[in-house]
Amino acid sequence: MKQTILVALLLTLIFSACSPEKIAPIADRIQKLWSAQLVKENSTTTFTKGATTNARPGYTAFRLDLSSATTVVFVDFDGTRCTGQWEVSSDEKRLILKNLSPQPTGTNGTIEFTIGEVTDTKLVLTRTATSQKTGGTINVYELIIG
């Protein structure tokens, strides 16, 4: 009887120690201030942080401030600063910036991104619609904290 109880207790400890680690929702994980590390426009790299020959050096000013739970501050490569709200889609595959003011050119105040890689220090986003500011390109942003 004592052996059965000991075995049951041991198995309980083993299985409870092996439970999978709970991963926080993406909205919680990306709630930070992000800056551009690498930007591609239609698969052409136009910015790499620290490079001296960037086609668009203005991306050094690019900021995506998601540090507030609902408010976003978005600073584009040309220095345009917009504020609005942000949310992650229910399937956690898209980041939506909405009610942006002033409205970025051709957006009706909304910019959507497909969420790629997410780590504690890196966020990869792909715009779901073309950017008029960059000549109608689909842009991929590799962002880092800061």
Side-chain angles (χ1 to χ4, degrees), residues 7-123:
V7 169
L9 182 59
L10 184 60
L11 288 173
T12 301
L13 287 171
I14 290 170
F15 287 119
S16 65
C18 294
S19 63
E21 185 179 322
K22 195 170 192 175
I23 298 174
I26 285 183
D28 293 346
R29 295 169 54 207
I30 67 172
Q31 192 174 336
K32 301 173 185 172
L33 172 61
W34 300 95
S35 64
Q37 171 72 30
L38 180 89
V39 179
K40 292 182 179 182
E41 298 174 2
N42 279 350
S43 74
T44 299
T45 300
T46 56
F47 177 81
T48 303
K49 187 173 186 167
T52 57
T53 58
N54 286 313
R56 292 204 197 271
Y59 277 115
T60 57
F62 182 96
R63 296 289 181 273
L64 182 59
D65 188 350
L66 305 175
S67 59
S68 166
T70 57
T71 302
V72 63
V73 177
F74 174 66
V75 181
D76 210 345
F77 75 93
D78 63 353
T80 302
R81 183 179 196 267
C82 306
T83 59
Q85 288 82 46
W86 71 276
E87 64 185 26
V88 173
S89 62
S90 59
D91 62 3
E92 295 194 329
K93 293 183 179 183
R94 290 178 298 120
L95 171 64
I96 303 149
L97 312 182
K98 59 186 183 178
N99 300 319
L100 294 172
S101 179
Q103 291 183 0
T105 305
T107 65
N108 292 323
T110 300
I111 300 174
E112 291 192 26
F113 304 92
T114 301
I115 300 171
E117 183 180 355
V118 178
T119 71
D120 290 340
T121 59
K122 182 177 172 182
L123 173 62

